[in-house]
């Protein structure tokens, strides 16, 4: 049975090469045939599902991304944290201020370079890992419902390759693939 959801395979999908070649030539490029659109739509759905799971805590989705990085490595600079998350530095500063007020992180001046601030979790910030990571796992479980292990592995591998392809494309166009949007835009001005 063919799904009524136009994003599902089998719903009038044409071979990818044909769709993209026609789009480059100026033909119509339906959103449901755009990998970029589908990835964006999946990302937004993922964020909504995760937000529902963390909404009872003091953590916002903006904080979530910083916590994920800091649970892996503390004592990194604000700039490095921004780059790893691919978020603008002013956004990072705002999020870190809120996280400081909530007692989740602390910033310390780098003893080797007083201009840099290093970010560390507090005990409270570290403890949230054990409350929030299971919620992230629940979100992942919901996202992969009905997929075979081989499909999950293939999806993960394909997404990593898509990211690498786009990073390479960005680098070939003279920009830093790790830069966030405002940095890419500023390079062209």
């Amino acid at each position: 049975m063919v799904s009524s959801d136009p994003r599902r395979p089998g719903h009038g999908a044409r071979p990818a090469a044909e769709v993209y070649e026609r789009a480059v030539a100026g033909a119509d490029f339906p959103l449901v045939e755009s990998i970029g659109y589908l990835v964006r739509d999946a990302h937004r759905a993922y964020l909504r599902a995760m937000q529902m799971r963390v909404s009872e805590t003091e953590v916002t989705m903006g904080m979530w991304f910083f916590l994920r990085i800091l649970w892996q490595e503390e004592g990194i600079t604000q700039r490095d944290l921004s780059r790893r998350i691919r978020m603008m530095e002013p956004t990072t500063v705002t999020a870190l201020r809120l996280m400081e007020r909530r007692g989740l992180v602390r910033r310390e001046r780098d003893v080797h370079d007083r201009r840099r601030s290093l970010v560390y979790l507090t005990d409270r910030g570290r403890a949230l890992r054990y409350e929030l990571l299971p919620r992230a796992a629940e979100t992942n479980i919901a996202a992969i419902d009905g997929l075979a292990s081989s499909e999950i592995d293939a999806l993960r591998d394909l997404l990593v390759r898509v990211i690498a392809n786009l990073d390479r494309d960005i680098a070939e166009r003279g920009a830093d693939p790790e830069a966030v949007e405002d940095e890419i835009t500023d390079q062209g001005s």
Side-chain angles (χ1 to χ4, degrees), residues 8 49 59 100 122 151 154-155 183:
R8 303 276 304 185
V59 174
E100 276 183 311
T122 62
E151 291 174 311
L155 175 62
E183 293 171 4

Side-chain angles (χ1 to χ4, degrees), residues 6 11-15 19-20 28-38:
H11 187 77
R14 294 178 277 173
V19 170
Y20 302 138
D28 187 33
F29 187 28
L31 287 176
V32 296
E33 293 183 1
S34 166
I35 298 298
Y37 176 81
L38 293 172

Side-chain angles (χ1 to χ4, degrees), residues 111-178:
V111 295
H112 304 292
D113 183 348
R114 302 293 297 167
R115 295 170 296 175
R116 298 176 355 156
S117 289
L118 304 177
V119 183
Y120 296 90
L121 290 166
T122 62
D123 290 341
R124 187 172 173 192
R126 276 185 216 96
L128 279 171
R129 178 178 196 218
Y130 303 101
E131 181 180 352
L132 295 178
L133 281 181
R135 294 172 193 221
E138 289 173 6
T139 306
N140 276 284
I141 289 168
I144 61 173
D145 185 42
L147 300 179
S149 291
S150 61
E151 291 174 311
I152 296 163
D153 291 341
L155 175 62
R156 187 180 300 111
D157 292 343
L158 290 169
L159 288 171
V160 168
R161 287 171 46 197
V162 165
I163 293 165
N165 288 344
L166 292 171
D167 282 349
R168 185 175 50 254
D169 179 68
I170 291 166
E172 288 171 358
R173 294 172 183 274
D176 177 1
E178 297 297 317

Side-chain angles (χ1 to χ4, degrees), residues 19-181:
V19 170
Y20 302 138
E21 287 169 9
R22 289 172 41 106
V24 168
D28 187 33
F29 187 28
L31 287 176
V32 296
E33 293 183 1
S34 166
I35 298 298
Y37 176 81
L38 293 172
V39 167
R40 178 185 176 274
D41 205 24
H43 176 70
R44 290 174 58 91
Y46 196 96
L47 287 178
R48 285 190 309 271
M50 185 63 186
Q51 179 62 52
M52 289 173 56
R53 287 175 171 81
V54 300
S55 63
E56 314 104 38
T57 71
E58 61 195 306
V59 174
T60 66
M61 282 308 298
M63 292 176 187
W64 164 253
F65 298 109
F66 294 104
L67 288 170
R68 286 289 281 151
I69 298 297
L70 291 168
W71 288 331
Q72 294 176 0
E73 182 181 0
E74 293 185 54
I76 59 179
T77 65
Q78 289 178 184
R79 172 165 280 170
D80 192 29
L81 192 54
S82 291
R83 291 176 70 82
R84 289 186 194 192
I85 297 173
R86 298 185 186 205
M87 193 167 290
M88 295 181 274
E89 284 191 62
T91 304
T92 298
V93 169
T94 301
L96 290 176
R97 281 186 189 137
L98 179 58
M99 293 172 77
E100 276 183 311
R101 282 197 302 270
R102 294 193 181 175
L104 305 177
V105 299
R106 71 185 194 309
R107 290 182 282 182
E108 296 179 7
R109 288 283 174 208
D110 186 335
V111 295
H112 304 292
D113 183 348
R114 302 293 297 167
R115 295 170 296 175
R116 298 176 355 156
S117 289
L118 304 177
V119 183
Y120 296 90
L121 290 166
T122 62
D123 290 341
R124 187 172 173 192
R126 276 185 216 96
L128 279 171
R129 178 178 196 218
Y130 303 101
E131 181 180 352
L132 295 178
L133 281 181
R135 294 172 193 221
E138 289 173 6
T139 306
N140 276 284
I141 289 168
I144 61 173
D145 185 42
L147 300 179
S149 291
S150 61
E151 291 174 311
I152 296 163
D153 291 341
L155 175 62
R156 187 180 300 111
D157 292 343
L158 290 169
L159 288 171
V160 168
R161 287 171 46 197
V162 165
I163 293 165
N165 288 344
L166 292 171
D167 282 349
R168 185 175 50 254
D169 179 68
I170 291 166
E172 288 171 358
R173 294 172 183 274
D176 177 1
E178 297 297 317
V180 294
E181 288 180 30

